[in-house]
Amino acid sequence: GFYAVVAAIDGNFERAGIAVFVAMIFDTLDGRMARLTHTESAFGKEYDSLADMVAFGLVPAIVSYQWGVARIAEYGRAWGRLGWLAAFFYCAAAALRLARFNTRVATQDKRYFEGLPSPSAAAVVSGFVWVSSEWREPGLTGLIVAFSVTALAGALMVSSFSYPSFKKLDARPVRFVWLVIAALVFVVIGIDPARALLGCFGSYALWGPLAWLGRRIRRARRSGGLAHCRSAVGP
């Protein structure tokens, strides 16, 4: 996380994006390693949250700020303030997301996350800036999209949308077709890692609101069908 901040300050947004994804790999492995070596502790739990706040809360906000605020400010002070607020909102939302997770970890369903996980939100913001850093002149429209993505990722973190955690995967043998799909995914990531990772985590971020919308539509259809049946039967 610290390296990503330094890289962003130096204007090397590709390395900053890579560093965030490397931090995600370590975040996935640290808990498993602690359980494997029987070294879990309350200290480790608190330290993990602090590291998450730096790598997935502060870093994406700084990366977004360094990439776009100076540019968008050229279109007027109001635009510059809007970009500053978007980056700040993301950082504050990440802190709230982590605090909520820590207070509910004992009672929450392990199969789902409440709100977009901070590593996934960081991947969306950092991946978008990583892809966008190829633009020499993104223009006002591109900058507005970048800060909108930053603010939206922050809003999804503090939302109540449910996201699958993949912590309770079925232990049955994996079908061959899924192995082929996994291999193809790694091939695509190797060809164009920035766009591939942004596509993967962007799709995951949209899963929560789309799944919620789908449930609402199904409930409305069921309630409408039930009302129709009752009217057909009569009193």
Side-chain angles (χ1 to χ4, degrees), residues 64-208:
S64 177
Y65 177 90
Q66 286 293 114
W67 179 76
V69 166
R71 294 179 180 179
I72 202 171
E74 297 175 357
Y75 296 92
R77 293 182 62 185
W79 286 115
R81 291 175 179 175
L82 183 64
W84 188 96
L85 288 172
F88 169 75
F89 174 73
Y90 175 92
C91 187
L96 293 170
R97 169 69 176 80
L98 290 167
R100 183 177 66 179
F101 175 80
N102 289 342
T103 57
R104 300 182 182 179
V105 66
T107 59
Q108 192 173 6
D109 189 345
K110 302 298 183 183
R111 297 174 299 172
Y112 300 98
F113 292 119
E114 182 181 4
L116 181 65
S118 58
S120 300
V124 171
V125 175
S126 301
F128 188 87
V129 173
W130 184 1
V131 172
S132 303
S133 63
E134 300 175 2
W135 302 347
R136 292 183 179 270
E137 294 296 335
L140 180 60
T141 302
L143 293 168
I144 291 174
V145 172
F147 286 113
S148 298
V149 169
T150 302
L152 179 60
L156 288 175
M157 278 193 289
V158 294
S159 71
S160 58
F161 294 131
S162 297
Y163 288 88
S165 67
F166 305 110
K167 292 182 178 180
K168 298 289 185 179
L169 295 177
D170 198 334
R172 291 179 301 178
V174 179
R175 294 184 178 181
F176 180 75
V177 65
W178 290 112
L179 296 176
V180 175
I181 293 174
L184 291 175
V185 168
F186 280 107
V187 169
V188 173
I189 292 176
I191 295 174
D192 192 344
R195 288 177 174 80
L197 291 170
L198 176 61
C200 291
F201 287 99
S203 300
Y204 181 72
L206 292 175
W207 168 265

